[in-house]
Amino acid sequence: MTSSKVPALAARIERFPIAGSFTISRGAKTEAVTVVAEVSRDDLTGRGECVPYPRYGETPEATLAAIQAMREAVAGGLTRQALQAAMPPGAARNALDCALIDLEAKAAGLRAWSLLDRPSPGERTTAYTISLGTPEAMAAATAKAAHRPLLKIKLGGDGDTERIAAVRKAAPESELIVDANEAWTEANLEHNLAACEAVGVTLVEQPLPAGKDDALARIKRPLVVCADESVHDRSSLASLRERYDAVNIKLDKTGGLTEALAMADAAQALGFEIMIGCMVATSLSMAPAMLVTPQARFVDLDGPLLLTRDRDHGLRYDDSLVYPPDSSLWG
């Protein structure tokens, strides 16, 4: 790209095949569709990646268009601070926010955590996801991953007690967290939570649909219940205190690392435990999220492990240990 003092913005859609398929309560997919933003200036290029989420009405095409609509603002010197008001939270802002941080770090000759005055991330154990299926299929998949210390089990409503029992039998030593993706009901909530408690599950993520989760405030929760679809950025935290014990911070929901770090600080101040989560994507999506890991009790950054191939200079994964990004990838 031609060197220029004026920042230039480029964006594109990229596709990465998933190993097998990735199945949750809302459906299955066989590829990760990401949108990449690049901001270039003075022979330097900052990159950010996002995953548009249909659950929130996002599509790759609309996300790409939203990023491209910021070209004039970027050329005019848009900062990541100004970006927070210029775009709403969501995938598009995430890609651009992370690209601007990457470029700023490169221009300053600093790693992103030093630039942002955050603790240096170290290696962390990431959860490894077991897709939703029959109890038998999930037990077979779990048996292949039973050496991993932390497993995230996707559940889907009817039959979940059988699924979780089968998974626990296949992985007797692993710590288990489960994600219902809004598939439980008020009628089966306490029964399913008890079944999880009985096999030693540590955390249950988003058991009830967002906006229909008041029952969580009326029961005794026997284990940590974590908000995902019910929480997006800082503005949604205060209303969750009676219903949830933890929050899942995802950069595609917060609209980038800038808000994710501020949200982590605010969540801790309110007494929430923190999970740093991800969509199925490449290491370019995971790299900025590593800056939240020093504050996280649970790390769920296994996206690249679910792909048939990662991008060049991807994060180092040593079994379930994930390491901070090299500067050749991001930050």
Side-chain angles (χ1 to χ4, degrees):
M1 186 172 289
T2 303
S3 175
S4 173
K5 296 287 185 182
V6 177
L9 171 63
R12 61 185 178 275
I13 295 173
E14 297 185 345
R15 299 174 185 272
F16 294 83
I18 292 172
S21 67
F22 181 78
T23 305
I24 66 172
S25 62
R26 285 188 289 271
K29 60 182 181 179
T30 58
E31 65 176 1
V33 183
T34 74
V35 182
V36 174
E38 294 182 342
V39 180
S40 300
R41 186 185 68 235
D42 296 335
D43 292 325
L44 299 173
T45 298
R47 300 187 301 165
E49 178 183 277
C50 69
V51 179
Y53 199 5
R55 169 67 177 80
Y56 306 126
E58 297 176 334
T59 67
E61 294 76 17
T63 299
L64 178 65
I67 295 171
Q68 291 173 330
M70 299 302 294
R71 278 180 172 150
E72 185 175 340
V74 169
L78 178 75
T79 65
R80 60 184 175 82
Q81 293 83 3
L83 174 67
Q84 308 309 305
M87 298 182 78
R93 195 179 79 183
N94 175 33
L96 189 49
D97 182 67
C98 292
L100 289 170
I101 293 171
D102 189 27
L103 179 62
E104 191 177 342
K106 286 181 168 70
L110 297 171
R111 296 311 310 268
W113 45 89
S114 297
L115 176 77
L116 301 176
D117 195 26
R118 307 299 293 202
S120 174
E123 69 271 16
R124 289 294 303 271
T125 295
T126 179
Y128 181 81
T129 302
I130 303 297
S131 284
L132 177 66
T134 65
E136 296 77 16
M138 293 181 71
T142 301
K144 296 177 182 177
H147 64 286
R148 295 182 180 273
L150 179 62
L151 297 177
K152 180 173 179 174
I153 312 304
K154 291 290 187 178
L155 298 180
D158 291 342
D160 278 350
T161 56
E162 292 79 11
R163 291 184 181 100
I164 196 62
V167 163
R168 171 51 84 198
K169 186 176 180 180
E173 303 300 325
S174 300
E175 182 178 10
L176 300 182
I177 58 180
V178 305
D179 185 2
N181 283 117
E182 305 180 278
W184 293 358
T185 66
E186 188 172 341
N188 64 28
L189 173 64
E190 291 183 271
H191 175 74
N192 286 342
L193 286 174
C196 289
E197 181 189 24
V199 298
V201 168
T202 303
L203 170 148
V204 172
E205 193 177 341
Q206 197 66 45
L208 298 176
K212 299 180 180 180
D213 52 4
D214 289 348
L216 289 168
R218 299 194 297 269
I219 66 169
K220 179 176 173 57
R221 299 187 294 272
L223 66 165
V224 174
V225 178
C226 179
D228 182 1
E229 286 86 351
S230 288
V231 66
H232 292 259
D233 58 10
R234 279 175 290 174
S235 66
S236 52
L237 284 173
S239 65
L240 302 178
R241 297 178 69 181
E242 299 302 317
R243 287 169 282 163
Y244 293 96
D245 312 293
V247 292
N248 188 344
I249 297 175
K250 293 178 180 174
L251 273 62
D252 282 313
K253 291 189 302 177
T254 65
L257 179 60
T258 299
E259 174 62 23
L261 291 170
M263 181 179 173
D265 293 342
Q268 282 191 319
L270 289 171
F272 288 108
E273 290 193 270
I274 293 172
M275 174 188 290
I276 178 64
C278 69
M279 306 295 286
V280 183
T282 79
S283 286
L284 186 55
S285 282
M286 308 302 126
M290 286 297 296
L291 274 71
V292 187
T293 60
Q295 294 171 272
R297 162 66 177 87
F298 299 95
V299 174
D300 179 24
L301 297 177
D302 65 340
L305 298 178
L306 307 176
L307 304 176
T308 59
R309 62 177 178 86
D310 196 4
R311 64 175 69 249
D312 292 343
H313 309 293
L315 293 180
R316 173 188 168 195
Y317 286 88
D318 182 4
D319 208 1
S320 288
L321 283 179
V322 57
Y323 291 79
D326 187 80
S327 58
S328 59
L329 173 68
W330 183 88

